[in-house]
Amino acid sequence: MSLRLRDLIRQVRACKTAAEERAVIAKESAMIRTAIREEQEQYRHRNVAKLLFMHMLGYPTHFGQLECMKLVASPHFPEKRIGYLGMMLLLSEEADVLMLATNSLKNDLNSDNRFIAGLALCAIGNLATADMSRDLAPEVDKHLKSSQPYLRKKACLAMCRCLTKCPDMVEDFVDRFVTLLKDRSHGVLITVVELMTQVLITDQENQDEEEEEDEYESAARSAFLRLVPLLVKLLRNLLTSGYSPEYDVAGISDPFLQVQILTLLRLLGTEDESASEEMSDVLAQVATNTDTAKNAGNAILYECVQTIMAIEADDSLRTLAINILGRFLLNKDNNIRYVALNTLARCITEAKQHARENEDASDEGPNSAASALQRHRNTVVDCLKDPDISIRQRALELIYHLVNAENVESIAAELLNYLVLCPREHRADICTRILRVVDTFSPDDRWRVDTLITMLTIAGRECTRAVQSATIIYISRSNDDIRAYATHKLVKAMRDDDGTQIGLLIVATWCVGEYGDLVLKPYSAETPEVIAFMGLEPSAVVATVEEVTKRHSCPEEVKERALTCFTKLSERFAGVADAETLARLHTLVKKYEGSHSLELQLRSCEYDALINAIKGVKVSVKTPQSSDDMLGMADGGDAPLSAEVVAAAKEALARMPAVDIKVMQRKRPPELGEDLGAVSFGEDGAPSKTNGAAASSGGGGDLLDLNDIFGGGAAAPAASTQQNGTSGGAAEATTSSSDVDLLSDIFSAPAAPAPAAPAAAAPAAPIDPF
């Protein structure tokens, strides 16, 4: 004989291990199977109850599905109740045995006992398939006209399932909703509103799947739109009704029904100006008269805000909705603040998207949502200091929508402050977003450069290559005054850094090499505050960069930039530094001629050849086949280098011209796009396309940007073209060529005049200062 349910529960609770529990369940399952085979009808309801308990514990109970069907067909209510409960829990709509219950459900729907009919309606609402829905819809419809509210509300929920499975039946039951909306029972009202909501959602999903045009309006939606005045009246009655203990929750009359009506109004008012106008007054009444002291009132206000932002409401109503969310931000409950921040971000995004779609519309009007949100800017900024990281992240998403030309300086300062506190895994994204803000709303070049340098001092380790490249481009495209200011500030930041901010070191090293001569002079400027830097000695500048490379933690990519920096400084300081400093620079360049890193070794050898070329000295390189100097001038013997070669070497080390984005875009092949040298951002604020710096490897890069200066698909300078007769063929050299022939291609003497073979046009390289 099998155990009673309470005894089984006691045995399971007494088990100390999972193995003991499995043994108890396995033993009882075997006894239940035996009882099923022997058709022990007196224990059938007990066995199904125990199967329900096993199902709750996660054990298989499929062998008891037919027992549920037999209990459903029983004439006794207790057994029928257990059977329906087991059918709803142990079966799914995909179960094959479910079709056997159709006849029992139809019989129970016609029962005089309202509780039996209620059980059948619940089962239909949970398990009805498309075929069952068609067969049982007439019986369900009879209960929609029942005189008992108990059956009417259950019939609404069952009909909701039927119409969801068979949307083509909606037109047959639309007229029934008008009568049900006039019902006095709040239970019936909330179920019929839920029924209408599900019908609209299903109808919209079907239209999306069929990709029908927006002009088409379904019969259900057309019928429901005629009921908008009735829904508005119902909502207004709830607002003005007195105290009713049956439906009152924290002093608010039936908040569940109010929320359900607001949801339905939102679906009906979307993209419908007439319906939106009819419901605007009652929405304003809900927004102004609902008490926010209790959670029930906050739930109604949140749904009201959702409805206002979804329908075709006027600006004053949208401003009211934004102000409600602003009050939510002052709430002590973090859940309410989180919801408010999320909703505000979504509302502002939708408003901007609407403004883009309607070019004549503007999202910056005095009564627009963006303007209303500006009034709560300080509250949103304060959320960045919240101890809850989820609140900080949502506030960070929202604060980017607050930025404009008037408040960019204060908000950028807050973002930099948050950059210090935020988790390291979030810093790369924040740096990219700050770059976007600076690029779009910067008031002047000095502030832009100052902000980017500050950002690099905080998060130079985490910022992306695109951010470093953009910073260099901004500095290079500015005037000499901003370049001197930026270089002075970067030298100071390089001295103060402990070697961890790699991005800062890369940018600083590049700028020192390119504009190192500017830091030799004192700098002063009168902005709102006086800025002054002392002039530095050439030896101090060299020592600062050298100190960076001496650190054990210095990465290889910084050493590569430092080599380029030393080479450029040897030209920048040629007329101002003493012989000892220039010799020190030459020694630092040759330091890595025997390095295990091929990139460092290659740079060191070729930069040494460049410096010697400026001095008129040849550097020979011996191979098993021949002995040539590195500049390809073997035919000259011991004769000094020609003036053209010396001039070309000086030109290679001269200051890079400012990047002209428009010119580079014109030369860029159309298949590579037009966002050259700039960070392109998608709708969510994340970079959707980066420049070449982001795509290049961490340790690579063109030496001294020679590819951009002399090749890369762009025309080389005239003087360089005359001396570089083979520059076009360098890109097509075979693998047998030497790895150090880059400078040979630049400075080699021209061969005998011959028509050059047409070379395939290579895509222009994206802008990468490295």
Side-chain angles (χ1 to χ4, degrees):
M1 179 178 174
S2 62
L3 298 172
R4 292 182 298 176
L5 176 61
R6 67 182 65 180
D7 295 333
L8 175 62
I9 295 174
R10 288 194 186 100
Q11 288 190 12
V12 170
R13 288 181 175 176
C15 294
K16 296 182 179 179
T17 63
E20 291 180 13
E21 180 182 301
R22 288 194 295 269
V24 171
I25 296 297
K27 180 180 178 182
E28 191 60 31
S29 296
M31 297 184 70
I32 292 175
R33 287 192 179 92
T34 302
I36 291 174
R37 284 197 304 270
E38 296 176 357
E39 294 289 339
Q40 299 177 4
E41 297 182 5
Q42 67 275 23
Y43 299 123
R44 183 171 289 155
H45 65 286
R46 179 195 293 178
N47 291 336
V48 172
K50 289 187 290 186
L51 287 175
L52 291 175
F53 176 66
M54 296 178 188
H55 176 74
M56 292 169 58
L57 296 177
Y59 293 97
T61 56
H62 57 280
F63 54 87
Q65 292 177 349
L66 280 177
E67 294 297 287
C68 297
M69 299 294 103
K70 295 176 182 178
L71 287 177
V72 166
S74 172
H76 305 294
F77 179 74
E79 294 182 353
K80 192 180 289 290
R81 182 174 61 179
I82 290 293
Y84 273 113
L85 181 60
M87 185 172 69
M88 286 185 284
L89 290 179
L90 303 184
L91 276 73
S92 65
E93 59 179 299
E94 291 84 11
D96 295 334
V97 299
L98 189 59
M99 60 183 299
L100 302 176
T102 304
N103 191 52
S104 297
L105 288 170
K106 184 175 292 189
N107 293 334
D108 290 340
L109 286 173
N110 295 321
S111 174
D112 295 333
N113 188 330
R114 64 171 184 168
F115 298 109
I116 292 179
L119 288 174
L121 290 171
C122 283
I124 293 172
N126 283 277
L127 293 173
T129 61
D131 295 333
M132 291 174 63
S133 300
R134 291 189 179 91
D135 294 338
L136 300 175
E139 279 72 21
V140 176
D141 183 47
K142 293 177 184 178
H143 289 292
L144 289 175
K145 298 176 286 186
S146 173
S147 59
Q148 304 179 49
Y150 175 82
L151 290 179
R152 291 200 300 273
K153 67 182 181 181
K154 288 184 178 293
C156 284
L157 296 176
M159 184 59 71
C160 181
R161 174 82 177 194
C162 294
L163 296 183
T164 301
K165 292 296 180 181
C166 301
D168 54 310
M169 298 193 303
V170 172
E171 298 179 15
D172 302 330
F173 300 97
V174 167
D175 295 336
R176 191 81 62 224
F177 301 148
V178 181
T179 305
L180 292 171
L181 280 176
K182 298 178 182 179
D183 203 295
R184 299 180 62 87
S185 170
H186 284 212
V188 176
L189 288 175
I190 196 170
T191 52
V192 70
V193 172
E194 172 64 20
L195 171 58
M196 296 170 67
T197 302
Q198 289 300 321
V199 167
L200 287 175
I201 293 174
T202 304
D203 187 62
Q204 183 62 42
E205 290 175 352
N206 292 336
Q207 287 190 27
D208 293 341
E209 290 177 0
E210 297 172 4
E211 297 182 354
E212 295 182 358
E213 296 182 358
D214 295 338
E215 288 77 8
Y216 172 77
E217 195 172 74
S218 66
R221 183 176 177 85
S222 301
F224 292 168
L225 284 173
R226 295 195 294 270
L227 301 179
V228 169
L230 187 57
L231 292 169
V232 169
K233 181 181 178 181
L234 179 59
L235 183 57
R236 186 174 283 113
N237 290 338
L238 287 173
L239 292 173
T240 57
S241 63
Y243 173 75
S244 175
E246 186 178 359
Y247 308 115
D248 186 86
V249 177
I252 297 175
S253 178
D254 203 345
F256 300 101
L257 180 57
Q258 290 191 47
V259 167
Q260 207 63 46
I261 293 174
L262 288 169
T263 303
L264 179 57
L265 290 177
R266 180 171 74 248
L267 295 175
L268 292 173
T270 303
E271 299 181 358
D272 192 299
E273 294 184 3
S274 177
S276 300
E277 186 176 354
E278 290 180 345
M279 64 183 72
S280 293
D281 291 341
V282 72
L283 291 176
Q285 189 176 353
V286 171
T288 54
N289 295 342
T290 303
D291 183 20
T292 60
K294 301 293 183 180
N295 225 21
N298 290 328
I300 294 174
L301 285 176
Y302 172 70
E303 200 64 38
C304 181
V305 169
Q306 296 272 75
T307 303
I308 291 173
M309 302 308 294
I311 67 173
E312 304 297 321
D314 55 11
D315 288 341
S316 60
L317 199 57
R318 290 177 180 269
T319 301
L320 179 60
I322 296 295
N323 291 336
I324 291 173
L325 295 175
R327 292 203 304 270
F328 280 179
L329 293 178
L330 300 175
N331 199 299
K332 295 181 180 179
D333 189 346
N334 277 0
N335 295 321
I336 295 177
R337 297 169 68 197
Y338 183 92
V339 166
L341 290 168
N342 238 4
T343 309
L344 281 171
R346 187 169 64 251
C347 292
I348 299 301
T349 303
E350 292 174 356
K352 290 185 176 181
Q353 182 178 359
H354 177 73
R356 282 194 296 269
E357 293 173 355
N358 302 278
E359 296 181 357
D360 55 338
S362 174
D363 64 332
E364 297 293 340
N367 295 323
S368 64
S371 299
L373 181 57
Q374 289 293 341
R375 304 188 190 103
H376 306 283
R377 185 181 68 211
N378 293 334
T379 307
V380 176
V381 170
D382 288 341
C383 291
L384 288 176
K385 305 167 187 175
D386 194 273
D388 190 339
I389 187 173
S390 61
I391 298 293
R392 297 201 304 268
Q393 286 299 107
R394 297 286 76 77
L396 187 64
E397 294 294 330
L398 177 59
I399 203 169
Y400 297 119
H401 299 293
L402 292 171
V403 184
N404 55 35
E406 298 175 357
N407 59 25
V408 61
E409 297 186 28
S410 59
I411 289 185
E414 292 293 342
L415 290 175
L416 292 175
N417 290 336
Y418 178 69
L419 193 60
V420 179
L421 305 174
C422 71
R424 290 181 58 179
E425 59 269 18
H426 298 158
R427 288 186 176 182
D429 179 60
I430 296 175
C431 288
T432 304
R433 290 175 180 268
I434 292 176
L435 175 62
R436 178 192 181 190
V437 169
V438 168
D439 178 65
T440 308
F441 301 105
S442 174
D444 55 67
D445 291 342
R446 184 185 300 277
W447 182 86
R448 177 193 288 122
V449 170
D450 204 18
T451 303
L452 292 176
I453 293 176
T454 304
M455 180 183 69
L456 290 175
T457 59
I458 298 172
R461 176 169 37 189
E462 293 82 15
C463 69
T464 63
R465 184 76 176 271
V467 174
Q468 302 169 21
S469 299
T471 304
I472 290 178
I473 289 173
Y474 286 136
I475 294 174
S476 65
R477 296 179 66 186
S478 58
N479 55 38
D480 283 344
D481 181 70
I482 302 300
R483 291 173 180 174
Y485 169 72
T487 310
H488 271 287
K489 189 164 186 176
L490 285 169
V491 169
K492 182 178 183 303
M494 188 187 299
R495 287 175 173 173
D496 297 339
D497 185 65
D498 57 356
T500 59
Q501 306 297 347
I502 307 301
L504 171 67
L505 298 178
I506 290 176
V507 174
T509 304
W510 189 93
C511 289
V512 169
E514 195 69 24
Y515 309 115
D517 54 327
L518 300 180
V519 300
L520 303 182
K521 305 173 184 177
Y523 177 85
S524 63
E526 292 187 3
T527 55
E529 56 183 12
V530 178
I531 301 175
F533 292 100
M534 295 177 58
L536 301 178
E537 293 294 331
S539 57
V541 177
V542 175
T544 300
V545 181
E546 182 184 3
E547 186 65 28
V548 172
T549 62
K550 285 182 177 180
R551 293 193 180 102
H552 179 70
S553 59
C554 181
E556 184 175 319
E557 56 183 335
V558 175
K559 293 180 181 179
E560 293 168 4
R561 275 63 176 185
L563 275 176
T564 307
C565 174
F566 293 141
T567 306
K568 290 181 177 181
L569 289 180
S570 65
E571 192 274 335
R572 305 290 187 273
F573 294 165
V576 293
D578 53 19
E580 182 181 354
T581 302
L582 295 176
R584 180 61 181 162
L585 283 170
H586 201 169
T587 303
L588 291 172
V589 168
K590 295 191 295 182
K591 179 179 179 181
Y592 297 100
E593 286 183 346
S595 173
H596 293 290
S597 170
L598 179 61
E599 178 69 22
L600 285 175
Q601 184 184 131
L602 183 63
R603 287 182 182 233
S604 182
C605 293
E606 295 193 344
Y607 292 168
D608 178 37
L610 273 177
I611 295 174
N612 284 317
I614 295 176
K615 300 176 182 179
V617 178
K618 291 184 180 180
V619 178
S620 298
V621 54
K622 295 183 179 180
T623 63
Q625 290 81 10
S626 62
S627 178
D628 293 343
D629 68 277
M630 291 190 65
L631 301 182
M633 304 296 295
D635 294 338
D638 295 331
L641 293 176
S642 64
E644 289 83 358
V645 174
V646 175
K650 291 182 179 179
E651 183 180 357
L653 295 180
R655 182 170 297 170
M656 286 183 61
V659 177
D660 191 339
I661 302 297
K662 295 181 180 179
V663 173
M664 297 298 291
Q665 287 177 345
R666 286 199 300 268
K667 296 180 179 180
R668 185 178 177 84
E671 63 271 11
L672 297 182
E674 297 181 355
D675 294 330
L676 184 65
V679 181
S680 175
F681 295 84
E683 289 298 325
D684 57 349
S688 59
K689 184 189 296 183
T690 57
N691 57 20
S696 62
S697 62
D702 297 331
L703 303 184
L704 276 174
D705 302 298
L706 297 177
N707 190 36
D708 290 336
I709 295 174
F710 297 104
S720 182
T721 304
Q722 295 175 0
Q723 300 157 8
N724 188 6
T726 60
S727 60
E732 302 176 359
T734 61
T735 54
S736 61
S737 300
S738 172
D739 288 335
V740 292
D741 61 357
L742 174 60
L743 300 180
S744 300
D745 293 332
I746 295 174
F747 302 116
S748 59
I767 296 176
D768 183 358
F770 306 130

